[in-house]
Amino acid sequence: FVRGRQMRLCARCLGIVAGVAMSWTAIPWREHLIGVTTGACLLLAADGLTQLIGLRSSTNFLRFTTGFAAGLLVPAFLLTLI
């Protein structure tokens, strides 16, 4: 909720959108992006899958953080391939 109104995006999706908007800031570290991007995607998948199969419940902070990391790094990595 923001100012008492429910948002139309989940925390994970909001993190991805915010990360994509900031992805240009990660391009200067292009030599490290492949490993860090792989790690961010694995964390995002682990968070989503463990929540989906009922092993634990995730928090909005963790959802936003993993979404932001993946949203930040994946586009930056893809841009370095061009």
Side-chain angles (χ1 to χ4, degrees), residues 7-20:
M7 295 185 59
R8 301 287 184 200
L9 288 176
C10 70
R12 189 173 289 123
C13 294
L14 180 62
I16 291 170
V17 170
V20 168

Side-chain angles (χ1 to χ4, degrees), residues 41-70:
C41 289
L42 289 174
L43 288 174
L44 179 73
D47 180 40
L49 289 175
T50 57
Q51 180 183 356
L52 178 68
I53 62 175
L55 291 178
R56 62 180 187 81
S57 62
S58 186
T59 64
N60 280 336
F61 177 76
L62 184 58
R63 290 176 191 152
F64 179 84
T65 303
T66 57
F68 183 81

Side-chain angles (χ1 to χ4, degrees), residues 20 23-24 26-27 29-30 32-34 37-38 41 70-82:
V20 168
S23 63
W24 61 273
I27 292 174
W29 294 282
R30 67 182 65 132
H32 304 291
L33 282 178
I34 192 163
T37 302
T38 303
C41 289
L72 176 76
L73 296 169
V74 170
F77 171 71
L78 293 175
L79 284 173
T80 62
L81 297 178
I82 296 176

